[in-house]
Amino acid sequence: EAQVTQNPRYLITVTGKKLTVTCSQNMNHEYMSWYRQDPGLGLRQIYYSMNVEVTDKGDVPEGYKVSRKEKRNFPLILESPSPNQTSLYFCASSPNVGTPYEQYFGPGTRLTVT
Amino acid sequence: DQQVKQNSPSLSVQEGRISILNCDYTNSMFDYFLWYKKYPAEGPTFLISISSIKDKNEDGRFTVFLNKSAKHLSLHIVPSQPGDSAVYFCAASGSGTYKYIFGTGTRLKVLA
């Protein structure tokens, strides 16, 4: 089944404890992206990747890191999480880089930072 | 500054009637627009899109209209069904960029 998977689905952590949220897609998509969803703010793009080893900042990249070492994986790293990073996170992938295209979203990761 | 705005946080419609969801944007460089539907505890799913070279795109019960001069797009669902109850996001992007800007969403409730 074609899908985007995220792990973990739920995470409660403490301020400053490094964490990684994994994202994997099995559709051989070139484009991958991370979003956060917050009440009243909709979905905001954190980082995106056009292909392996090629990443760039979205609208809200502060406090996050990403890497794209393999085409299928795009982990989101929070080196020192803070309470304002408590949010619902979505990973997405898309087959087409050159033209805006529909994205396929993962099920989401709900992160709470205390 | 919110470049893509959905000014109606919620909308209720009777089953069988038309649902109209609206989206406004400010950036004239946007030339591709998409609508996503999101159910609780799931990721958004793509619904329909439109390029700026068109003013209408139709897919079954869903039609998106684009008014470039007004920087406005709308999603029409006819007839509305209870299964359409979800949060709808519009999104915009510009050719040559890889960034997507989403609106804040409109929660649609279709009443049986």
Side-chain angles (χ1 to χ4, degrees), chain B residues 2-23:
Chain B
Q2 193 79 18
Q3 297 185 67
V4 177
K5 299 179 184 178
Q6 294 178 257
N7 292 317
S8 298
S10 64
L11 175 68
S12 290
V13 171
Q14 284 294 133
E15 181 180 6
R17 307 295 288 266
I18 184 172
S19 295
I20 300 176
L21 294 90
N22 295 305
C23 181

Side-chain angles (χ1 to χ4, degrees), chain B residues 51-108:
Chain B
S51 159
S52 61
I53 62 172
K54 295 184 174 182
D55 54 17
K56 177 183 173 181
N57 189 27
E58 195 170 351
D59 184 1
R61 296 186 297 115
F62 303 92
T63 303
V64 56
F65 295 92
L66 175 62
N67 182 333
K68 282 188 294 182
S69 61
K71 294 191 178 70
H72 176 83
L73 62 153
S74 61
L75 174 68
H76 292 211
I77 306 174
V78 184
S80 301
Q81 299 173 354
D84 296 329
S85 297
V87 177
Y88 290 78
F89 291 98
C90 66
S93 186
S95 59
T97 77
Y98 306 102
K99 295 176 74 167
Y100 291 82
I101 308 296
F102 280 74
T104 52
T106 296
R107 183 178 301 276
L108 173 66

Side-chain angles (χ1 to χ4, degrees), chain A residues 1-94:
Chain A
E1 179 191 355
Q3 60 183 347
V4 178
T5 57
Q6 296 178 227
N7 284 293
R9 293 290 311 278
Y10 302 91
L11 179 60
I12 300 174
T13 189
V14 296
T15 299
K17 186 176 180 183
K18 181 180 178 179
L19 67 92
T20 299
V21 183
T22 65
C23 173
S24 183
Q25 50 94 3
N26 62 1
M27 296 169 280
N28 201 36
H29 285 173
E30 293 181 342
Y31 183 94
M32 297 186 74
S33 185
W34 276 102
Y35 296 86
R36 60 179 288 175
Q37 183 187 1
D38 301 289
L41 297 176
L43 287 158
R44 294 180 293 167
Q45 194 170 30
I46 303 171
Y47 269 96
Y48 58 92
S49 169
M50 292 78 79
N51 213 326
V52 175
E53 302 291 2
V54 183
T55 63
D56 206 349
K57 297 176 182 178
D59 277 347
V60 288
E62 296 78 18
Y64 304 95
K65 284 176 57 177
V66 292
S67 68
R68 187 96 180 269
K69 294 185 170 57
E70 305 166 281
K71 198 171 188 179
R72 63 182 291 130
N73 296 323
F74 190 44
L76 180 69
I77 303 157
L78 285 73
E79 294 269 4
S80 183
S82 63
N84 65 12
Q85 293 178 298
T86 292
S87 187
L88 179 58
Y89 291 87
F90 291 101
C91 180
S93 71
S94 173

